[in-house]
Amino acid sequence: MEESVNFVKGYGKVNPSDDETTAVPCQSPSPKRRKTVAAVITLGLFAIIVGSIVGAAEVHHRRTKSPEPQSSSVKAVASIKAVCAVTQHPESCFTDVSTIDSGNFFDPEVIFNLTLRLAINELTNISSLPKTLISKSHDLRTGSALRDCATLFDDALSQLSRSVEAMRVGPVGGEKLLTEEKVADMKTWISAAMTDQETCVDGLEEMGSTAVDEVKSRMQRSNEYMSNSLAILANIETILDQFGLRLH
């Protein structure tokens, strides 16, 4: 009977050692391995975050870098228009000043200096006009008036040259571009240059000269440039105030 019971107990066993548990238990990771896995995950997340930040910074750089020239251009346009707005010829003032190659269109004193350069350049171009017309004229009265014009043109150039020289500031010494004294002097000199040209035309008209129309036509631009410079000087304190500046 015992043999039968033992037989039943032993049924299905290959050997006695089958009584022991042969399955490998599921062991939890060791603390060292858990730290290693956590470190790998942390490094992965850090790499993703850094990559995202670098990518976003690159996109932001591309978006913000390109508009810079346009912003500078817009600011330059606004500066020139603000200065030219006080003149009798704001549109032509803006157009003519904009054609000059200048590294600084943001300083109203520099913009004024450019209008002065335009004026003296144009006056220089027409300074020989009276002498040219004299050589073509056979009328004594017209010749006399044109000789007066030649003298007046020379004086006008001298007056503008004094203004240009006043705006010439050396790199050392701390001299200011515009001061109250300079503004007063240049107003006088530019006004005198404009008067010289008006006197020339008046003399030609009094003589009934046929050259008067040509002289007036050729003088138009120089008169306009000088008028612009004078208007800017007359309003320089208001203009500077718009730029947050003051007269020295």
Side-chain angles (χ1 to χ4, degrees):
M1 182 66 178
E2 289 182 5
E3 292 180 359
S4 298
V5 172
N6 289 336
F7 177 78
V8 172
K9 288 182 179 180
Y11 182 75
K13 293 181 181 179
V14 177
N15 53 59
S17 64
D18 286 344
D19 287 336
E20 300 176 357
T21 303
T22 58
V24 178
C26 182
Q27 299 178 351
S28 61
S30 65
K32 183 177 181 180
R33 184 172 181 180
R34 283 199 300 269
K35 290 181 180 180
T36 301
V37 173
V40 171
I41 294 174
T42 301
L43 287 174
L45 289 174
F46 179 75
I48 293 173
I49 293 171
V50 171
S52 300
I53 293 173
V54 171
E58 180 64 24
V59 171
H60 177 71
H61 178 71
R62 288 197 301 267
R63 288 180 177 176
T64 56
K65 186 177 180 180
S66 56
E68 286 181 0
Q70 183 180 3
S71 299
S72 298
S73 175
V74 169
K75 184 177 179 181
V77 167
S79 299
I80 298 172
K81 285 187 175 181
V83 175
C84 288
V86 301
T87 69
Q88 294 182 353
H89 317 279
E91 293 183 2
S92 60
C93 172
F94 169 77
T95 301
D96 293 329
V97 170
S98 299
T99 60
I100 303 176
D101 185 15
S102 173
N104 182 6
F105 280 122
F106 313 121
D107 188 335
E109 295 183 359
V110 172
I111 296 173
F112 160 74
N113 201 17
L114 295 178
T115 67
L116 197 58
R117 282 174 50 189
L118 286 168
I120 196 168
N121 288 344
E122 184 61 26
L123 189 56
T124 301
N125 290 337
I126 67 171
S127 61
S128 61
L129 176 62
K131 295 176 183 179
T132 300
L133 293 176
I134 289 172
S135 65
K136 297 178 180 179
S137 175
H138 302 288
D139 180 61
L140 294 179
R141 290 165 60 87
T142 296
S144 176
L146 287 172
R147 280 189 287 273
D148 288 341
C149 284
T151 301
L152 290 166
F153 274 35
D154 288 342
D155 184 69
L157 267 176
S158 176
Q159 300 291 353
L160 284 187
S161 296
R162 295 174 73 180
S163 298
V164 171
E165 191 62 31
M167 292 297 292
R168 202 185 306 277
V169 179
V172 294
E175 186 180 359
K176 302 300 183 182
L177 201 61
L178 273 182
T179 62
E180 290 185 4
E181 183 179 359
K182 283 186 179 182
V183 169
D185 287 340
M186 285 190 289
K187 282 181 181 179
T188 300
W189 298 331
I190 297 172
S191 296
M194 295 181 69
T195 299
D196 284 337
Q197 289 198 330
E198 292 170 0
T199 303
C200 167
V201 172
D202 290 342
L204 289 171
E205 289 178 338
E206 288 176 5
M207 294 298 179
S209 172
T210 56
V212 66
D213 290 337
E214 182 175 356
V215 173
K216 288 173 69 174
S217 175
R218 294 286 300 276
M219 283 171 39
Q220 181 178 351
R221 288 178 68 85
S222 61
N223 266 327
E224 187 174 304
Y225 292 149
M226 287 189 288
S227 172
N228 291 342
S229 298
L230 192 58
I232 293 170
L233 277 181
N235 296 275
I236 192 63
E237 292 190 56
T238 301
I239 294 170
L240 290 173
D241 186 61
Q242 293 177 10
F243 287 76
L245 303 172
R246 296 180 61 187
L247 195 61
H248 306 297

